[in-house]
Amino acid sequence: NFDNNSTISWKVNNYSKQEKKLKPLLSFAINDEILIVGDNISKSYAIDLSNGNILWSKKNQNPFNSQIKIFNNNFYVEDFNNVLRCFSIKSGDEKWNFVTENNFLKSNKRNSLLVQKNIVFFSNTLGDVTAVNASNGSLIWQTSTQKSSFYEDAFNLISSDLVSNNNTIVYSNNRNELYSINLENGLVKWKQKINSSVRSVIINELIFTVSNEGYLFITDSKTGN
């Protein structure tokens, strides 16, 4: 942690020599004065941002493979088996989990999460977008964007982050598919042939995205034109 003069205020290491050799990839989220960390070697922990003290550290059942999102006193993260897990920020204990279909071929692409209006929206490695209640993990809706049942096809799938605007979720992938999904019921409003695996930006009624070939696309968020 650096101050405004770029002087180190504190630094902390929460990994053994053996864990360092595994070269963990970290994801971060901040809640007030607490930094939540999750990694791809099954560890999660909380750090006091004022002094760098480790508040708690947990070894979980599976490695994590997603962004971390915070809502109220909980944080949400998805593991390599496409299981969304809810943990307490205070203790690190798991409160609930929601299981989606697992893919035995593991992808290194981090899955995306959104939290809005007490609902957690998340994607998985098979191209499913799911909405669950943030308090108890109950299913609200689930939408599949891929028809193929072959796991090797899912391994090659690279999806963008989920972004939302008003009542819409925008989501794209490297298979020439840009989706507009109704946030309340999961129905696909429209699908456009745009090959993009990067995060889109929504400004007013326009969606801006860059294709994997380097083209800038501007799309009408209502019609998909």
Side-chain angles (χ1 to χ4, degrees), residues 52-126:
N53 291 337
I54 296 176
L55 303 175
W56 52 259
S57 182
K58 300 281 186 177
K59 192 71 174 180
N60 298 280
Q61 184 177 359
N62 294 302
F64 297 123
N65 189 37
S66 77
Q67 303 167 335
I68 299 175
K69 296 296 181 180
I70 288 175
F71 181 70
N72 290 338
N73 296 315
N74 302 321
F75 70 93
Y76 305 86
V77 64
E78 193 176 348
D79 67 23
F80 269 95
N81 289 335
N82 289 334
V83 179
L84 178 70
R85 300 184 182 275
C86 172
F87 297 93
S88 165
I89 291 177
K90 183 178 180 180
S91 65
D93 295 332
E94 183 174 313
K95 291 187 173 182
W96 55 259
N97 64 71
F98 185 88
V99 180
T100 64
E101 187 176 358
N102 187 19
N103 181 6
F104 69 92
L105 294 174
K106 307 305 181 186
S107 172
N108 288 324
K109 174 70 170 85
R110 292 189 184 186
N111 294 319
S112 178
L113 280 73
L114 278 175
V115 183
Q116 287 190 12
K117 300 178 181 179
N118 200 44
I119 301 175
V120 183
F121 304 90
F122 66 100
S123 60
N124 65 14
T125 56
L126 297 173

Side-chain angles (χ1 to χ4, degrees), residues 103 105-108 125 150-157 175:
N103 181 6
L105 294 174
K106 307 305 181 186
S107 172
N108 288 324
T125 56
F150 294 103
Y151 286 119
E152 55 268 28
D153 290 343
F155 180 77
N156 295 320
L157 178 68
R175 294 184 178 169

Side-chain angles (χ1 to χ4, degrees), residues 10-207:
W10 54 259
K11 61 180 178 179
V12 62
N13 171 43
N14 193 33
Y15 294 94
S16 65
K17 290 183 178 179
Q18 185 177 4
E19 289 173 332
K20 287 181 180 179
K21 291 180 180 179
L22 298 175
K23 297 181 179 180
L25 299 175
L26 313 184
S27 296
F28 302 96
I30 291 178
N31 177 54
D32 296 328
E33 291 299 315
I34 297 176
L35 175 68
I36 301 295
V37 185
D39 63 33
N40 64 340
I41 62 170
S42 306
K43 180 177 282 190
S44 62
Y45 49 98
I47 298 174
D48 187 330
L49 285 175
S50 64
N51 52 33
N53 291 337
I54 296 176
L55 303 175
W56 52 259
S57 182
K58 300 281 186 177
K59 192 71 174 180
N60 298 280
Q61 184 177 359
N62 294 302
F64 297 123
N65 189 37
S66 77
Q67 303 167 335
I68 299 175
K69 296 296 181 180
I70 288 175
F71 181 70
N72 290 338
N73 296 315
N74 302 321
F75 70 93
Y76 305 86
V77 64
E78 193 176 348
D79 67 23
F80 269 95
N81 289 335
N82 289 334
V83 179
L84 178 70
R85 300 184 182 275
C86 172
F87 297 93
S88 165
I89 291 177
K90 183 178 180 180
S91 65
D93 295 332
E94 183 174 313
K95 291 187 173 182
W96 55 259
N97 64 71
F98 185 88
V99 180
T100 64
E101 187 176 358
N102 187 19
N103 181 6
F104 69 92
L105 294 174
K106 307 305 181 186
S107 172
N108 288 324
K109 174 70 170 85
R110 292 189 184 186
N111 294 319
S112 178
L113 280 73
L114 278 175
V115 183
Q116 287 190 12
K117 300 178 181 179
N118 200 44
I119 301 175
V120 183
F121 304 90
F122 66 100
S123 60
N124 65 14
T125 56
L126 297 173
D128 300 327
V129 180
T130 306
V132 298
N133 185 290
S135 300
N136 55 32
S138 59
L139 177 65
I140 298 174
W141 55 258
Q142 185 175 69
T143 298
S144 177
T145 64
Q146 302 300 306
K147 296 181 179 180
S148 174
S149 60
F150 294 103
Y151 286 119
E152 55 268 28
D153 290 343
F155 180 77
N156 295 320
L157 178 68
I158 302 177
S159 302
S160 72
D161 290 346
L162 302 174
V163 294
S164 65
N165 183 49
N166 297 325
N167 195 36
T168 300
I169 290 176
V170 174
Y171 171 76
S172 60
N173 58 40
N174 62 336
R175 294 184 178 169
N176 207 27
E177 297 170 330
L178 174 70
Y179 291 90
S180 173
I181 300 174
N182 188 298
L183 188 145
E184 294 184 351
N185 54 31
L187 295 178
V188 176
K189 295 181 176 181
W190 51 258
K191 184 173 77 170
Q192 183 59 269
K193 292 182 178 180
I194 296 177
N195 190 44
S196 176
S197 55
V198 299
R199 181 186 181 94
S200 298
V201 173
I202 305 175
I203 302 176
N204 297 326
E205 302 298 331
L206 298 177
I207 300 171

